[in-house]
PDB file of all heavy atoms in Angstrom:
ATOM      1  N   PHE P  68       4.040  -2.940   8.973  1.00  0.00           N
ATOM      2  CA  PHE P  68       3.238  -3.298   7.801  1.00  0.00           C
ATOM      3  C   PHE P  68       3.475  -2.298   6.659  1.00  0.00           C
ATOM      4  O   PHE P  68       3.783  -2.680   5.528  1.00  0.00           O
ATOM      5  CB  PHE P  68       1.757  -3.339   8.193  1.00  0.00           C
ATOM      6  CG  PHE P  68       0.821  -3.579   7.051  1.00  0.00           C
ATOM      7  CD1 PHE P  68       0.643  -4.853   6.541  1.00  0.00           C
ATOM      8  CD2 PHE P  68       0.111  -2.533   6.486  1.00  0.00           C
ATOM      9  CE1 PHE P  68      -0.222  -5.080   5.486  1.00  0.00           C
ATOM     10  CE2 PHE P  68      -0.756  -2.747   5.429  1.00  0.00           C
ATOM     11  CZ  PHE P  68      -0.926  -4.019   4.927  1.00  0.00           C
ATOM     12  N   LYS P 133      -9.253  -7.268   1.863  1.00  0.00           N
ATOM     13  CA  LYS P 133      -8.540  -6.214   1.130  1.00  0.00           C
ATOM     14  C   LYS P 133      -7.126  -6.691   0.801  1.00  0.00           C
ATOM     15  O   LYS P 133      -6.534  -7.464   1.540  1.00  0.00           O
ATOM     16  CB  LYS P 133      -8.491  -4.942   1.970  1.00  0.00           C
ATOM     17  CG  LYS P 133      -9.837  -4.255   2.093  1.00  0.00           C
ATOM     18  CD  LYS P 133      -9.701  -2.956   2.867  1.00  0.00           C
ATOM     19  CE  LYS P 133     -10.952  -2.129   2.837  1.00  0.00           C
ATOM     20  NZ  LYS P 133     -12.134  -2.764   3.365  1.00  0.00           N
ATOM     21  N   THR P 134      -6.586  -6.185  -0.313  1.00  0.00           N
ATOM     22  CA  THR P 134      -5.211  -6.536  -0.677  1.00  0.00           C
ATOM     23  C   THR P 134      -4.246  -5.757   0.217  1.00  0.00           C
ATOM     24  O   THR P 134      -4.629  -4.797   0.894  1.00  0.00           O
ATOM     25  CB  THR P 134      -4.919  -6.181  -2.149  1.00  0.00           C
ATOM     26  OG1 THR P 134      -5.002  -4.764  -2.316  1.00  0.00           O
ATOM     27  CG2 THR P 134      -5.874  -6.895  -3.098  1.00  0.00           C
ATOM     28  N   VAL P 135      -2.992  -6.166   0.201  1.00  0.00           N
ATOM     29  CA  VAL P 135      -1.973  -5.482   0.988  1.00  0.00           C
ATOM     30  C   VAL P 135      -1.915  -4.002   0.599  1.00  0.00           C
ATOM     31  O   VAL P 135      -1.883  -3.120   1.456  1.00  0.00           O
ATOM     32  CB  VAL P 135      -0.592  -6.157   0.818  1.00  0.00           C
ATOM     33  CG1 VAL P 135       0.483  -5.399   1.572  1.00  0.00           C
ATOM     34  CG2 VAL P 135      -0.639  -7.617   1.278  1.00  0.00           C
ATOM     35  N   LEU P 138      -4.955  -2.102   1.940  1.00  0.00           N
ATOM     36  CA  LEU P 138      -4.843  -1.899   3.387  1.00  0.00           C
ATOM     37  C   LEU P 138      -3.806  -0.827   3.703  1.00  0.00           C
ATOM     38  O   LEU P 138      -4.025   0.011   4.574  1.00  0.00           O
ATOM     39  CB  LEU P 138      -4.511  -3.216   4.096  1.00  0.00           C
ATOM     40  CG  LEU P 138      -5.660  -4.223   4.146  1.00  0.00           C
ATOM     41  CD1 LEU P 138      -5.144  -5.592   4.569  1.00  0.00           C
ATOM     42  CD2 LEU P 138      -6.762  -3.750   5.074  1.00  0.00           C
ATOM     43  N   GLU P 153      -8.508  -5.797  10.619  1.00  0.00           N
ATOM     44  CA  GLU P 153      -8.212  -6.712   9.513  1.00  0.00           C
ATOM     45  C   GLU P 153      -6.712  -6.990   9.427  1.00  0.00           C
ATOM     46  O   GLU P 153      -6.298  -8.137   9.216  1.00  0.00           O
ATOM     47  CB  GLU P 153      -8.732  -6.165   8.185  1.00  0.00           C
ATOM     48  CG  GLU P 153      -8.502  -7.141   7.043  1.00  0.00           C
ATOM     49  CD  GLU P 153      -9.186  -6.779   5.735  1.00  0.00           C
ATOM     50  OE1 GLU P 153      -9.985  -5.818   5.714  1.00  0.00           O
ATOM     51  OE2 GLU P 153      -8.918  -7.466   4.737  1.00  0.00           O
ATOM     52  N   ILE P 154      -5.898  -5.977   9.600  1.00  0.00           N
ATOM     53  CA  ILE P 154      -4.442  -6.182   9.551  1.00  0.00           C
ATOM     54  C   ILE P 154      -3.998  -7.073  10.712  1.00  0.00           C
ATOM     55  O   ILE P 154      -3.187  -7.982  10.521  1.00  0.00           O
ATOM     56  CB  ILE P 154      -3.693  -4.837   9.553  1.00  0.00           C
ATOM     57  CG1 ILE P 154      -3.951  -4.104   8.234  1.00  0.00           C
ATOM     58  CG2 ILE P 154      -2.191  -5.044   9.759  1.00  0.00           C
ATOM     59  CD1 ILE P 154      -3.449  -2.676   8.198  1.00  0.00           C
ATOM     60  N   ARG P 157      -5.159 -10.705   9.991  1.00  0.00           N
ATOM     61  CA  ARG P 157      -4.512 -11.335   8.833  1.00  0.00           C
ATOM     62  C   ARG P 157      -3.007 -11.094   8.804  1.00  0.00           C
ATOM     63  O   ARG P 157      -2.361 -11.298   7.771  1.00  0.00           O
ATOM     64  CB  ARG P 157      -5.144 -10.789   7.546  1.00  0.00           C
ATOM     65  CG  ARG P 157      -6.615 -11.139   7.400  1.00  0.00           C
ATOM     66  CD  ARG P 157      -7.216 -10.519   6.159  1.00  0.00           C
ATOM     67  NE  ARG P 157      -6.513 -10.965   4.955  1.00  0.00           N
ATOM     68  CZ  ARG P 157      -6.459 -10.241   3.829  1.00  0.00           C
ATOM     69  NH1 ARG P 157      -7.045  -9.064   3.752  1.00  0.00           N
ATOM     70  NH2 ARG P 157      -5.806 -10.702   2.783  1.00  0.00           N
ATOM     71  N   LYS P 158      -2.434 -10.711   9.926  1.00  0.00           N
ATOM     72  CA  LYS P 158      -1.022 -10.326   9.989  1.00  0.00           C
ATOM     73  C   LYS P 158      -0.104 -11.349   9.323  1.00  0.00           C
ATOM     74  O   LYS P 158       0.689 -10.997   8.441  1.00  0.00           O
ATOM     75  CB  LYS P 158      -0.602 -10.120  11.448  1.00  0.00           C
ATOM     76  CG  LYS P 158       0.870  -9.831  11.612  1.00  0.00           C
ATOM     77  CD  LYS P 158       1.275  -9.798  13.062  1.00  0.00           C
ATOM     78  CE  LYS P 158       2.787  -9.667  13.168  1.00  0.00           C
ATOM     79  NZ  LYS P 158       3.261  -9.875  14.523  1.00  0.00           N
ATOM     80  N   ASP P 159      -0.176 -12.603   9.735  1.00  0.00           N
ATOM     81  CA  ASP P 159       0.725 -13.621   9.184  1.00  0.00           C
ATOM     82  C   ASP P 159       0.530 -13.783   7.678  1.00  0.00           C
ATOM     83  O   ASP P 159       1.499 -13.912   6.932  1.00  0.00           O
ATOM     84  CB  ASP P 159       0.525 -14.959   9.899  1.00  0.00           C
ATOM     85  CG  ASP P 159       0.986 -14.927  11.343  1.00  0.00           C
ATOM     86  OD1 ASP P 159       1.768 -14.030  11.714  1.00  0.00           O
ATOM     87  OD2 ASP P 159       0.551 -15.808  12.119  1.00  0.00           O
ATOM     88  N   GLU P 160      -0.717 -13.776   7.235  1.00  0.00           N
ATOM     89  CA  GLU P 160      -1.017 -13.911   5.809  1.00  0.00           C
ATOM     90  C   GLU P 160      -0.450 -12.734   5.017  1.00  0.00           C
ATOM     91  O   GLU P 160       0.233 -12.919   4.008  1.00  0.00           O
ATOM     92  CB  GLU P 160      -2.538 -13.976   5.628  1.00  0.00           C
ATOM     93  CG  GLU P 160      -3.003 -13.966   4.193  1.00  0.00           C
ATOM     94  CD  GLU P 160      -4.508 -13.724   4.085  1.00  0.00           C
ATOM     95  OE1 GLU P 160      -5.234 -13.744   5.096  1.00  0.00           O
ATOM     96  OE2 GLU P 160      -4.943 -13.477   2.940  1.00  0.00           O
ATOM     97  N   LEU P 161      -0.712 -11.515   5.477  1.00  0.00           N
ATOM     98  CA  LEU P 161      -0.281 -10.311   4.760  1.00  0.00           C
ATOM     99  C   LEU P 161       1.236 -10.188   4.709  1.00  0.00           C
ATOM    100  O   LEU P 161       1.820  -9.909   3.651  1.00  0.00           O
ATOM    101  CB  LEU P 161      -0.895  -9.070   5.401  1.00  0.00           C
ATOM    102  CG  LEU P 161      -2.432  -9.014   5.396  1.00  0.00           C
ATOM    103  CD1 LEU P 161      -2.928  -7.913   6.320  1.00  0.00           C
ATOM    104  CD2 LEU P 161      -2.969  -8.857   3.998  1.00  0.00           C
ATOM    105  N   PHE P 162       1.893 -10.423   5.852  1.00  0.00           N
ATOM    106  CA  PHE P 162       3.353 -10.369   5.871  1.00  0.00           C
ATOM    107  C   PHE P 162       3.934 -11.509   5.046  1.00  0.00           C
ATOM    108  O   PHE P 162       4.997 -11.367   4.443  1.00  0.00           O
ATOM    109  CB  PHE P 162       3.879 -10.397   7.313  1.00  0.00           C
ATOM    110  CG  PHE P 162       3.883  -9.048   7.975  1.00  0.00           C
ATOM    111  CD1 PHE P 162       2.733  -8.554   8.574  1.00  0.00           C
ATOM    112  CD2 PHE P 162       5.019  -8.260   7.996  1.00  0.00           C
ATOM    113  CE1 PHE P 162       2.716  -7.306   9.180  1.00  0.00           C
ATOM    114  CE2 PHE P 162       5.027  -7.009   8.599  1.00  0.00           C
ATOM    115  CZ  PHE P 162       3.871  -6.529   9.194  1.00  0.00           C
ATOM    116  N   GLY P 163       3.233 -12.634   5.012  1.00  0.00           N
ATOM    117  CA  GLY P 163       3.674 -13.770   4.201  1.00  0.00           C
ATOM    118  C   GLY P 163       3.738 -13.417   2.725  1.00  0.00           C
ATOM    119  O   GLY P 163       4.689 -13.786   2.025  1.00  0.00           O
ATOM    120  N   TYR P 164       2.729 -12.701   2.229  1.00  0.00           N
ATOM    121  CA  TYR P 164       2.741 -12.274   0.824  1.00  0.00           C
ATOM    122  C   TYR P 164       3.936 -11.374   0.554  1.00  0.00           C
ATOM    123  O   TYR P 164       4.641 -11.538  -0.449  1.00  0.00           O
ATOM    124  CB  TYR P 164       1.460 -11.505   0.468  1.00  0.00           C
ATOM    125  CG  TYR P 164       0.185 -12.303   0.554  1.00  0.00           C
ATOM    126  CD1 TYR P 164      -0.970 -11.730   1.078  1.00  0.00           C
ATOM    127  CD2 TYR P 164       0.109 -13.617   0.104  1.00  0.00           C
ATOM    128  CE1 TYR P 164      -2.157 -12.439   1.155  1.00  0.00           C
ATOM    129  CE2 TYR P 164      -1.068 -14.338   0.191  1.00  0.00           C
ATOM    130  CZ  TYR P 164      -2.201 -13.741   0.706  1.00  0.00           C
ATOM    131  OH  TYR P 164      -3.370 -14.448   0.783  1.00  0.00           O
ATOM    132  N   MET P 165       4.155 -10.421   1.431  1.00  0.00           N
ATOM    133  CA  MET P 165       5.270  -9.490   1.231  1.00  0.00           C
ATOM    134  C   MET P 165       6.605 -10.223   1.317  1.00  0.00           C
ATOM    135  O   MET P 165       7.508  -9.986   0.500  1.00  0.00           O
ATOM    136  CB  MET P 165       5.189  -8.340   2.237  1.00  0.00           C
ATOM    137  CG  MET P 165       3.991  -7.439   2.008  1.00  0.00           C
ATOM    138  SD  MET P 165       3.929  -5.985   3.077  1.00  0.00           S
ATOM    139  CE  MET P 165       3.279  -6.683   4.599  1.00  0.00           C
ATOM    140  N   ASP P 166       6.742 -11.117   2.295  1.00  0.00           N
ATOM    141  CA  ASP P 166       7.987 -11.881   2.441  1.00  0.00           C
ATOM    142  C   ASP P 166       8.249 -12.761   1.221  1.00  0.00           C
ATOM    143  O   ASP P 166       9.388 -12.860   0.755  1.00  0.00           O
ATOM    144  CB  ASP P 166       7.949 -12.735   3.707  1.00  0.00           C
ATOM    145  CG  ASP P 166       8.046 -11.913   4.978  1.00  0.00           C
ATOM    146  OD1 ASP P 166       8.542 -10.759   4.927  1.00  0.00           O
ATOM    147  OD2 ASP P 166       7.618 -12.414   6.045  1.00  0.00           O
TER     148      ASP P 166
END
Side-chain angles (χ1 to χ4, degrees):
F68 175 78
K133 289 183 171 59
T134 64
V135 177
L138 288 167
E153 183 171 352
I154 292 171
R157 296 177 59 207
K158 175 187 173 191
D159 292 341
E160 174 193 350
L161 299 167
F162 277 84
Y164 296 140
M165 293 185 280
D166 289 338

